[in-house]
Amino acid sequence: MPDNQKPKRIGLALGGGAARGVAHIGALKAFDDFRIKFDYITGTSVGSIIGAAYAAGVSWAEMLRFARSISTRDILQWKKWNLGYDPAAIGRLMIKIIGDCQIEELKIPYSAIAVDVRKGKEVVFSSGPVAEAVQASCCVPGVFIPVEYEDKLLVDGGVLNNVPANVVREMGSDIVIGIDLNSDYSTTAGNGGYFEVLYTVFNLMVRNKSLWGHRHADIIIEPDMKNIPYHHVRDIDNLVIRGETAARAVIPKIQELCR
């Protein structure tokens, strides 16, 4: 690289996918192995959780240890007198991972994506409490109670932008890498369990929103998610391997773009 040429800035957009999000950890492992660092990070839904942790300096290995320690009951906590689970449980988990900090305090510039259903518009959190941004971004309609924030009623960012490549581009990235956890076209509703059907229907709805992210990314990583459910992690190691394998396959392309 010539002395007067600035290094290219790389952005990472982590997509939603509920329990499939563990695959993001595998991708981060691959990036770490090849010393690929990111200058900007965005995330939607579970991608906002992994993205915030990474932006705070949490290693993939630490994330994996935390993933092994939590259960569905840590996330799905029913709120009395409401038809839905309490999204604040996600915020509390985020605080356990990185502490009660502000987005401005993170080591890497970061944004989380939610949607205001009152105005039908995307909401980008680039400042304020990390926990509040993440719990809004993860608020899957029909599962969690929508989040009241200022004059907004917020739900999962995947409703409008499931792989927020355009947002990380706007943050200043020269190169954008996106990870899409919804590349399988077949449904995974399995035996028709309530949450599996609900998550599957939701992710079928947001598939087109993932394709919007594809158009704004230089490289899209699509781990093999065939037969992987959305609501329950049965094999964490398998998901990590799938994410790592998909990321390793595009490492040469990333290295070429960085030259």
Side-chain angles (χ1 to χ4, degrees):
M1 181 183 296
D3 293 338
N4 62 349
Q5 184 176 335
K6 293 181 180 179
K8 293 178 181 177
R9 296 165 295 183
I10 311 176
L12 179 64
L14 299 175
R20 294 177 169 196
V22 175
H24 284 319
I25 298 175
L28 295 179
K29 179 181 185 301
F31 298 143
D32 187 56
D33 287 347
F34 286 88
R35 298 183 180 180
I36 293 173
K37 307 294 182 184
F38 294 94
D39 301 285
Y40 305 97
I41 298 172
T42 59
T44 292
S45 199
V46 68
S48 73
I49 298 175
I50 303 296
Y54 190 70
V58 180
S59 70
W60 69 265
E62 291 173 299
M63 291 185 212
L64 182 54
R65 282 195 291 271
F66 191 85
R68 294 186 194 282
S69 71
I70 64 173
S71 68
T72 303
R73 280 177 287 185
D74 293 320
I75 299 169
L76 299 180
Q77 298 180 9
W78 195 262
K79 191 171 184 179
K80 271 191 174 183
W81 316 119
N82 284 278
L83 293 176
Y85 288 97
D86 186 359
I90 296 172
R92 290 191 288 270
L93 280 177
M94 197 75 250
I95 290 171
K96 285 184 180 180
I97 299 171
I98 65 171
D100 192 4
C101 61
Q102 304 289 305
I103 292 175
E104 300 93 321
E105 297 172 332
L106 298 176
K107 295 179 180 180
I108 302 173
Y110 163 83
S111 294
I113 313 303
V115 169
D116 177 11
V117 294
R118 287 190 174 128
K119 295 183 178 179
K121 292 184 177 180
E122 177 179 291
V123 176
V124 178
F125 284 91
S126 55
S127 62
V130 175
E132 290 185 8
V134 166
Q135 71 187 44
S137 183
C138 293
C139 202
V140 177
V143 178
F144 293 99
I145 305 161
V147 173
E148 292 276 0
Y149 177 79
E150 296 177 348
D151 62 338
K152 304 174 180 65
L153 187 64
L154 301 177
V155 298
D156 192 296
V159 170
L160 290 180
N161 196 350
N162 200 45
V163 182
N166 63 310
V167 176
V168 80
R169 176 84 67 187
E170 291 163 6
M171 290 171 71
S173 304
D174 300 306
I175 301 165
V176 174
I177 313 301
I179 303 182
D180 183 1
L181 303 178
N182 302 283
S183 61
D184 57 318
Y185 289 93
S186 61
T187 66
T188 57
N191 61 6
Y194 175 77
F195 286 110
E196 194 56 41
V197 170
L198 194 57
Y199 274 117
T200 299
V201 169
F202 176 70
N203 281 282
L204 285 172
M205 289 171 58
V206 303
R207 173 62 185 166
N208 285 338
K209 306 308 176 184
S210 295
L211 295 177
W212 165 257
H214 287 216
R215 290 194 288 270
H216 288 272
D218 297 293
I219 294 174
I220 285 287
I221 297 170
E222 296 181 287
D224 177 11
M225 293 286 106
K226 186 178 180 181
N227 299 322
I228 300 294
Y230 288 102
H231 78 297
H232 178 64
V233 177
R234 296 191 179 98
D235 189 346
I236 285 178
D237 291 333
N238 179 34
L239 271 173
V240 171
I241 289 170
R242 291 187 185 211
E244 181 181 0
T245 299
R248 283 181 178 274
V250 302
I251 293 294
K253 293 181 182 179
I254 297 174
Q255 292 172 328
E256 180 64 29
L257 286 174
C258 292
R259 289 180 186 144

